[in-house]
């Protein structure tokens, strides 16, 4: 599965990008501090700096995934997008 977080334009040279998983009201990190977290470390990767690819998805991956972008030099310093993933 590939989840995309598209950054249209930014003046910040190296915006900070984080991915979080929200399931049953609990939030956990997927990609934080430039590395995969938890069980995602062995089965997920970041493509083109912004897209999250999860391999071997299971029903346990069903959740809302939030991409947060922090760009301190931009007018809008932080933005996010939520993507609902349902694994059948």
């Amino acid at each position: 599965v590939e989840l995309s977080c598209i950054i249209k334009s930014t003046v910040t040279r190296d915006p900070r990008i984080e991915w979080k998983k929200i399931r049953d009201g609990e939030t956990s990190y997927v990609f934080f501090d430039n590395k995969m977290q938890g069980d995602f470390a062995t089965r997920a990767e970041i493509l083109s700096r912004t897209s999250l690819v999860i391999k071997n998805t299971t029903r346990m991956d069903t959740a809302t995934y939030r991409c947060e972008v922090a760009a301190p030099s931009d007018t809008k310093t932080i933005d996010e997008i939520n993507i609902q993933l349902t694994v059948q």
Side-chain angles (χ1 to χ4, degrees):
V1 165
E2 182 175 346
L3 307 177
S4 294
C5 180
I6 305 208
I7 300 172
K8 292 184 180 174
S9 65
T10 181
V11 295
T12 300
R13 245 180 94 110
D14 194 18
R16 182 177 46 97
I17 299 165
E18 295 176 357
W19 281 91
K20 297 177 182 176
K21 176 182 176 181
I22 305 161
R23 181 181 167 109
D24 299 328
E26 293 193 23
T27 302
S28 59
Y29 282 107
V30 175
F31 182 74
F32 177 73
D33 201 19
N34 287 322
K35 60 183 178 255
M36 290 296 164
Q37 304 294 315
D39 72 322
F40 290 100
T42 58
R43 61 187 190 95
E45 64 182 326
I46 296 293
L47 293 181
S48 304
R49 289 212 29 158
T50 58
S51 291
L52 173 66
V53 176
I54 304 170
K55 301 170 188 166
N56 302 318
T57 55
T58 69
R59 286 189 213 162
M60 292 301 295
D61 294 315
T62 295
T64 299
Y65 289 82
R66 177 180 294 151
C67 174
E68 296 179 0
V69 179
S73 300
D74 288 26
T75 308
K76 189 171 188 179
T77 58
I78 191 162
D79 205 356
E80 64 185 40
I81 185 172
N82 290 322
I83 301 169
Q84 180 63 46
L85 174 65
T86 303
V87 181
Q88 300 289 344

